[in-house]
Amino acid sequence: MKRIILISTLLCFCISHSQKRKIRPLLWTHHSDNTDIFGVSVGLYPSDLEYQTTYSRTFGVRIAASPISLLHIFGGKPSQGNSTHKTYGINFSTGSLIKMDVHGISGTVITNNLKKMNGISVSILSNQIENANGIIAAFGGNGVVQGNGIMIGGPWSNTAKDFNGIQISFQNDIIEYGTGIQIGLFNNAKRFNGIQIGLWNKINGKGFPFINWDF
């Protein structure tokens, strides 16, 4: 295990060096262009308000505590455009709308608005992700453009354009195409290969109570 970590670190260092990126060990701010941080990266103001021409990367733990995170409740759509931040490890934020990729675990208090998520994403309010693979859970609801895995939501809906896996919420919606299982009071999908379990289930405009399927 130690050998794998050492080799991975050396590879990351070589890649960073070849791209002439700045290397910052142990502790640094992620409000920095063209920078690789190995350890803990921190930020105390909303990154989505700044302009970055190149992205920063955190290999370890990223912490973002924004004093105006409550404003992110109005940012209900997944991030679009190129990523400006990439985290390999653990990301914790009070709420953000930045174009960020997370490979590992991401947790937020308000809205987890990400471009790409591979791993586990947990939010008190909602997750809004362009491309998600893994477990997406929120006490409110979730929105995904393309995803694979498990979506778990609360009183708000789980909504996805294309999704393969399991959706569990009061209401589940697949806008274009999906496969797997939908479990909720109301389930709806335009094109779906799988099973729906709920009070009212609809596939391609055809509804049926309690259980519905199409293969």
Side-chain angles (χ1 to χ4, degrees):
M1 185 65 183
K2 293 181 179 179
R3 184 176 298 178
I4 294 175
I5 295 174
L6 178 60
I7 293 174
S8 300
T9 304
L10 289 174
L11 285 173
C12 292
F13 179 83
C14 292
I15 293 172
S16 300
H17 183 72
S18 65
Q19 296 176 346
K20 297 182 179 179
R21 298 179 60 84
K22 292 175 286 186
I23 305 297
R24 299 292 183 264
L26 301 181
L27 180 65
W28 199 255
T29 175
H30 49 249
H31 302 297
S32 180
D33 279 352
N34 203 38
T35 302
D36 288 343
I37 303 154
F38 293 86
V40 179
S41 66
V42 296
L44 296 177
Y45 63 88
S47 300
D48 38 292
L49 298 181
E50 65 184 353
Y51 176 75
Q52 286 188 254
T53 56
T54 58
Y55 62 86
S56 65
R57 296 186 297 195
T58 298
F59 299 88
V61 179
R62 178 185 182 273
I63 301 173
S66 169
I68 60 171
S69 295
L70 286 175
L71 296 178
H72 296 136
I73 190 174
F74 302 107
K77 293 184 178 180
S79 299
Q80 302 291 328
N82 296 325
S83 300
T84 56
H85 295 262
K86 295 185 179 183
T87 298
Y88 300 85
I90 299 174
N91 170 66
F92 178 77
S93 173
T94 52
S96 182
L97 303 178
I98 65 172
K99 303 176 181 67
M100 183 170 68
D101 298 347
V102 176
H103 305 274
I105 299 174
S106 183
T108 188
V109 177
I110 308 297
T111 298
N112 223 357
N113 196 301
L114 306 171
K115 182 173 177 62
K116 182 181 292 185
M117 178 71 224
N118 293 316
I120 301 174
S121 180
V122 179
S123 174
I124 292 178
L125 189 62
S126 70
N127 291 292
Q128 302 296 326
I129 306 172
E130 184 175 342
N131 190 306
N133 298 287
I135 299 174
I136 312 300
F139 289 99
N142 302 293
V144 171
V145 178
Q146 293 182 327
N148 303 281
I150 302 174
M151 295 178 69
I152 303 173
W156 299 349
S157 66
N158 281 326
T159 302
K161 181 180 178 182
D162 298 296
F163 188 78
N164 303 299
I166 301 173
Q167 286 185 318
I168 303 173
S169 183
F170 282 83
Q171 179 173 333
N172 301 295
D173 294 291
I174 293 179
I175 300 172
E176 290 294 336
Y177 177 75
T179 63
I181 302 174
Q182 290 183 314
I183 302 173
L185 291 178
F186 304 98
N187 301 302
N188 179 59
K190 183 177 181 180
R191 292 183 298 137
F192 188 68
N193 288 335
I195 299 174
Q196 297 175 318
I197 301 173
L199 184 64
W200 186 253
N201 311 287
K202 187 165 63 174
I203 300 175
N204 195 24
K206 298 178 181 179
F208 204 81
F210 307 124
I211 187 167
N212 195 17
W213 64 88
D214 191 12
F215 294 98

